[in-house]
Amino acid sequence: MNQLQSMTEENLKDFITCPYKFYFELIEKKKKSINWRQIVQHVVNKIVYSFYQLPEKSRHSINVLRLIDEYWGKVSPQIFESRVQYYMVIAKITDYLLVNVHAESKKTPPLFLFEKLTTYIEELDVDLSLTFDVAEWSDTTFVVKKYLVDATPEMLTLYYHLSIVFSEKVLKRTPKSIEVVTLLDGKKHVFIPTPEDLEKGLHYLQVMKVSIEDASSYYRTNNVNECNVCPFLKECDQESRTFSPKTYLS
């Protein structure tokens, strides 16, 4: 077993999505695959970032639509499984961005806007990185927000614990709330943390660290959406797979 020296939000997300795929891409250094969800997530990030950069008087629904049109125009329908899926995704993204992003139009500009932070976590003996998509800060409140194409319960748990640990360790403050909007279903997941949740978050990340370090325990995902577009399906279909220990993400 090798000592993990750093963990990023993306590394952890990839590991949760599928440890096998994580192994092939980040450890065996095979070509990283890009699927439509990742591309659409990039577009969503651009739209949200650009919207918050606008002056307050310009943060209205017309400019939300303008930004969606500008960035979505660069997305090829060919990356989707069908034309129907392409149009369904853009319709849902448009509807739910209009509802959720426009609701922020009158608020003070966020303290952090897609700001990547890295800090050493002594309890984990690892450098940890997280991007705060939107973090609103004032004398009376601190709210962390994230806009995702979609998210499994496991992914929501990851973002919750990462946000807690970073907020406490870097900003020395507990968020009033952590909000994750999933744009394919329009749901807003709101979590109300307490200071005691820091220990839970550290424990969660310690378990993740140990799991990543022990490649012999890796398992194949049961996520059909991921398997359908995964370039490593042939390797996974082998009856047995022995992962060789290497230095991970150093």
Side-chain angles (χ1 to χ4, degrees):
M1 183 181 295
N2 293 281
Q3 179 71 31
L4 192 66
Q5 297 178 4
S6 65
M7 294 192 300
T8 70
E9 174 186 351
E10 283 303 312
N11 295 151
L12 293 169
K13 178 178 178 293
D14 289 344
F15 184 74
I16 288 174
T17 300
C18 180
Y20 271 27
K21 189 166 179 274
F22 169 89
Y23 179 90
F24 293 132
E25 290 182 340
L26 278 84
I27 300 175
E28 288 198 350
K29 306 298 183 184
K30 292 192 175 184
K31 186 177 180 180
K32 191 173 179 67
S33 62
I34 303 294
N35 60 49
W36 68 263
R37 280 181 172 80
Q38 292 167 298
I39 293 174
V40 174
Q41 184 63 62
H42 179 71
V43 168
V44 167
N45 294 349
K46 288 284 190 181
I47 293 168
V48 173
Y49 177 84
S50 298
F51 181 80
Y52 275 100
Q53 291 286 81
L54 294 172
E56 181 180 326
K57 64 181 181 180
S58 298
R59 280 185 250 140
H60 47 66
S61 56
I62 293 176
N63 274 332
V64 177
L65 289 171
R66 179 184 62 79
L67 290 168
I68 292 172
D69 184 63
E70 175 184 348
Y71 290 109
W72 190 264
K74 302 171 185 178
V75 177
S76 170
Q78 302 301 319
I79 66 172
F80 294 87
E81 295 171 28
S82 67
R83 284 271 180 176
V84 172
Q85 185 187 57
Y86 169 80
Y87 289 115
M88 286 185 65
V89 170
I90 180 57
K92 290 178 179 179
I93 294 293
T94 299
D95 285 347
Y96 296 130
L97 273 178
L98 276 170
V99 171
N100 290 282
V101 177
H102 183 245
E104 311 296 320
S105 60
K106 301 301 181 183
K107 295 186 178 180
T108 303
L111 174 67
F112 295 121
L113 186 59
F114 292 93
E115 188 84 23
K116 184 174 182 179
L117 302 177
T118 301
T119 190
Y120 174 73
I121 306 296
E122 184 176 0
E123 293 90 337
L124 305 176
D125 190 22
V126 73
D127 288 322
L128 190 62
S129 297
L130 170 68
T131 297
F132 277 111
D133 289 14
V134 179
E136 298 170 350
W137 181 291
S138 72
D139 292 338
T140 58
T141 188
F142 172 44
V143 179
V144 177
K145 299 182 179 182
K146 203 168 191 71
Y147 298 87
L148 298 177
V149 174
D150 56 4
T152 62
E154 293 79 12
M155 208 62 65
L156 293 172
T157 299
L158 168 65
Y159 287 128
Y160 177 71
H161 288 308
L162 278 174
S163 297
I164 287 290
V165 170
F166 257 85
S167 297
E168 294 282 359
K169 290 293 184 180
V170 178
L171 305 175
K172 310 300 182 185
R173 192 168 181 181
T174 303
K176 179 181 179 181
S177 66
I178 297 169
E179 302 174 5
V180 181
V181 175
T182 46
L183 294 167
L184 286 186
D185 59 15
K187 292 182 179 179
K188 188 173 186 177
H189 310 267
V190 180
F191 306 94
I192 308 299
T194 66
E196 292 74 27
D197 287 342
L198 173 61
E199 288 303 317
K200 296 177 183 177
L202 289 170
H203 176 73
Y204 172 90
L205 292 173
Q206 180 63 45
V207 171
M208 288 288 292
K209 178 175 181 281
V210 170
S211 298
I212 292 173
E213 288 173 339
D214 184 11
S216 66
S217 68
Y218 285 11
Y219 59 89
R220 174 176 171 172
T221 184
N222 291 319
N223 189 329
V224 176
N225 289 332
E226 290 295 327
C227 290
N228 286 342
V229 295
C230 181
F232 309 119
L233 195 57
K234 183 177 179 181
E235 288 92 333
C236 285
D237 282 338
Q238 297 174 5
E239 289 188 8
S240 62
R241 173 82 194 180
T242 302
F243 293 109
S244 57
K246 297 183 181 182
T247 301
Y248 304 147
L249 314 178
S250 57

